[in-house]
């Protein structure tokens, strides 16, 4: 069988070196964690990059609302709409279908799309699930617990997001480390409540490595995915543009440019997967607090 897919625009990425892998599902992610293998996640927002990430062995593709900044040129994620998210989820889903990709697709619920009521959250989540997402992500603790429970009860897998939650950047006063000192306990309570509500994944962004490691031990049913949260989480995520070194702004401290030693985007993504799996990324002293 040919290893490439011809298209009028050139050649799509070679079939995945992990082509034999089973489609990624929640039970499969549970298996990875149970055997101590780290879960890998990258953002992607379009068909081609999603297919390349899948071919590189990335397990989870997050169609993040970070696309507001890296694709739309917005100053924050606050201006991203549900319709824009639906468009990008559909693009990613089609890209994976073209290459028989097997990655788990997470659609980010944008600012204002789940804040009014549980019913509004269900309507918004349904838009992304019907666009082809396997799971939705939402930000925050406290009041979101009821929303998570409501969605999970209705068969929608949910990834929560604590720590630096970019949709509330204005309330937080900037992109800064969260969960230090007294606020660590609050974050811990929120994480527990989210697991109890049925969240099966939890992104921990810019929190101290000691806190995210403790949380990972305390949350057996909810896989912690760190970004700027050190090496003790169940998995890692980066914004694709950051790890390819094409960020328009300044790269945060927790990012490594995986393109530096590679000659293709797919090789850089594969290097990221390998580094997360073998524990060489992130390095706590360099990328964490
Ligand atoms: O939108 C996004 O890309 C995210 C990641 C930073 C985790 O939420």
């Amino acid at each position: 069988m040919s290893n490439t897919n011809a298209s009028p625009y050139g050649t799509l990425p070679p079939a995945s070196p992990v082509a034999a892998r089973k489609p990624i599902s929640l039970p499969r992610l549970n298996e990875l964690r149970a055997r101590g293998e780290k879960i890998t996640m990258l953002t992607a927002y379009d068909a081609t990059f999603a297919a390349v990430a899948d071919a590189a062995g990335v397990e989870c593709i997050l169609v993040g609302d970070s696309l507001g900044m890296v694709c739309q040129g917005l100053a924050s994620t606050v201006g991203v709409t549900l319709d824009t998210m639906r468009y990008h989820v559909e693009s990613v889903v089609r890209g994976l279908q073209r290459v028989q990709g097997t990655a788990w697709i997470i659609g980010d619920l944008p600012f204002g799309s789940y804040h009014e009521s549980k019913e509004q959250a269900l309507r918004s989540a349904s838009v992304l699930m019907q666009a082809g997402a396997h799971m939705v992500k939402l930000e925050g603790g406290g009041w979101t617990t009821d929303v998570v429970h409501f969605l999970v009860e209705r068969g929608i897998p949910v990834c929560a997001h604590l720590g630096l939650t970019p949709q509330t950047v204005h309330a937080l006063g900037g992109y800064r480390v969260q969960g230090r000192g007294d606020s660590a306990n609050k974050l811990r309570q929120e994480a527990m409540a989210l697991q109890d509500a049925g969240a099966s994944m939890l992104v921990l962004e810019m929190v101290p490595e000691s806190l995210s490691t403790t949380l990972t031990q305390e949350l057996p049913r909810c896989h912690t995915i760190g970004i700027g949260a050190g090496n003790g989480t169940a998995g890692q995520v980066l914004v694709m543009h950051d790890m390819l070194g094409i960020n328009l702004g300044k790269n945060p401290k927790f990012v490594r440019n995986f393109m530096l030693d590679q000659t293709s985007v797919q090789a850089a993504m594969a290097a990221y997967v390998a580094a997360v799996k073998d524990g060489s990324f992130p390095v706590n002293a360099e990328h964490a607090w």
Side-chain angles (χ1 to χ4, degrees), residues 29-197:
L29 294 172
N30 297 342
E31 270 170 42
L32 289 185
R33 178 151 180 212
R35 62 167 189 252
E37 188 175 330
K38 298 272 182 181
I39 298 168
T40 57
M41 185 188 293
L42 271 184
T43 67
Y45 317 101
D46 70 17
T48 305
F49 279 109
V52 173
D54 185 270
V58 172
E59 279 120 9
C60 305
I61 293 180
L62 169 63
V63 189
D65 61 357
S66 50
L67 65 85
M69 295 160 94
V70 298
C71 301
Q72 297 181 291
L74 299 173
S76 78
T77 59
V78 175
V80 177
T81 65
L82 184 61
D83 207 37
T84 298
M85 291 309 304
R86 181 190 50 74
Y87 170 89
H88 286 277
V89 169
E90 283 175 353
S91 304
V92 163
V93 169
R94 283 193 294 264
L96 291 189
Q97 281 167 350
R98 287 276 296 276
V99 296
Q100 285 93 50
T102 51
W104 176 254
I105 303 169
I106 304 162
D108 224 352
L109 287 169
F111 181 78
S113 72
Y114 55 97
H115 299 62
E116 271 171 40
S117 64
K118 295 181 287 192
E119 290 74 16
Q120 184 214 18
L122 177 60
R123 281 194 298 277
S124 301
S126 301
V127 169
L128 300 189
M129 297 298 283
Q130 288 177 340
H134 302 127
M135 170 180 246
V136 297
K137 179 168 86 59
L138 52 78
E139 294 185 6
W143 64 274
T144 67
T145 306
D146 283 349
V147 175
V148 170
H149 184 65
F150 193 73
L151 298 181
V152 171
E153 266 197 321
R154 282 155 183 78
I156 300 178
V158 177
C159 174
H161 185 156
L162 290 176
L164 171 64
T165 44
Q167 292 174 8
T168 45
V169 63
H170 301 305
L172 294 175
Y175 296 97
R176 16 179 111 180
V177 182
Q178 304 294 315
R180 276 183 165 145
D182 290 348
S183 63
N185 204 35
K186 177 166 178 267
L187 201 147
R188 209 165 150 190
Q189 302 301 325
E190 288 178 334
M192 298 290 186
L194 287 163
Q195 172 177 265
D196 290 345

